[in-house]
Amino acid sequence: DAEKASRGFARLQRLGFFVQLPVSIGMMLGAEMIVRVLFGHGAFGEESILLVTSTTAGYALAQVFLAPMSATTSAIYADPRASCLRDLTIIVLVGLALRGGMLAVGAPLYGAPGIAWAAAASTAGAMLVAQVIAMRRFRGFDMRAQLLDFARSGLCGAIAAAGGYALLRFGPQPTGVIGWLAMLAAMGVTVVGIYGAAALALRVPEMTGALTLLRTALNRKTGRAAP
């Protein structure tokens, strides 16, 4: 069923983007503390910590684009109505070309962080190529509606990022492993909480759908327990 396939693919893509966004935001905001907890206990000096922090943030951003692109390539691979070879080959070759071009610029100029941010930029480009192919392959795929949904999730992410940054900027400045871990936990709760609240306020379908499933599960559980 072409219509069901298109709706299912779109839903999977939106869900991947919606779930990955707060994770990547948390990793980007907490990158320095994560690196300090893991490596900042000896010869791994301040310059190395800042270098790896920028690299970690770049790869975290790349995951935002990789999640919906993975949903796209999975849907193309699973679609039995036509061979997936040509479409997946185009995505792979364009992705490799973008990656090579970005690396040729970013790596010599910025080193390891340049590699990570080149990966983020090239993954974003490959995702756009995959979207175009998906529009052609899944005839019922509404690109305009999908982009609007991405924009709503992105706005939720921006609000959550602002809240997390405010905590890091104006909250207590942590020191030592215990302090860094406590701030990471507080920042994670803040980002996820604000993201969820914003998604509810903006009526993002993935959030309202999750609440509906939760209510259904609770009603079923209550119904079983009542007798």
Side-chain angles (χ1 to χ4, degrees):
D1 187 317
E3 287 296 324
K4 285 185 178 179
S6 298
R7 289 196 301 269
F9 155 63
R11 186 167 57 248
L12 178 64
Q13 194 182 63
R14 291 195 307 267
L15 183 62
F17 184 78
F18 179 77
V19 171
Q20 181 61 47
L21 198 55
V23 177
S24 288
I25 290 170
M27 287 189 67
M28 293 176 75
L29 290 173
E32 183 177 345
M33 288 182 289
I34 293 170
V35 174
R36 289 188 184 280
V37 167
L38 292 176
F39 303 114
H41 309 288
F44 208 82
E46 194 69 20
E47 183 179 350
S48 298
I49 287 174
L50 295 178
L51 189 71
V52 177
T53 294
S54 180
T55 303
T56 301
Y59 282 122
L61 179 61
Q63 292 296 322
V64 174
F65 308 114
L66 185 62
M69 191 179 75
S70 295
T72 306
T73 53
S74 296
I76 291 172
Y77 183 77
D79 181 15
R81 293 168 299 166
S83 172
C84 64
L85 184 60
R86 185 185 65 174
D87 289 343
L88 293 181
T89 299
I90 292 172
I91 294 171
V92 168
L93 292 178
V94 173
L96 287 174
L98 288 172
R99 180 70 59 93
M102 296 290 182
L103 287 175
V105 175
L109 290 176
Y110 305 107
I115 295 173
W117 289 94
S122 59
T123 304
M127 188 197 83
L128 290 176
V129 172
Q131 290 292 95
V132 172
I133 290 176
M135 287 176 59
R136 178 184 56 78
R137 187 177 185 108
F138 299 97
R139 299 296 183 182
F141 179 59
D142 189 342
M143 183 68 169
R144 182 175 178 275
Q146 195 78 335
L147 290 177
L148 287 174
D149 194 81
F150 282 165
R152 276 196 293 185
S153 295
L155 179 57
C156 295
I159 296 170
Y165 177 78
L167 176 64
L168 293 177
R169 179 71 175 80
F170 302 108
Q173 298 304 306
T175 56
V177 173
I178 300 301
W180 295 328
L181 289 174
M183 179 55 80
L184 275 172
M187 192 265 296
V189 170
T190 299
V191 168
V192 172
I194 294 175
Y195 186 77
L200 280 175
L202 294 175
R203 300 188 64 81
V204 176
E206 288 66 45
M207 193 66 186
T208 55
L211 285 179
T212 300
L213 288 175
L214 180 61
R215 289 195 195 99
T216 302
L218 289 175
N219 288 338
R220 286 177 180 173
K221 193 170 184 179
T222 304
R224 290 197 196 99

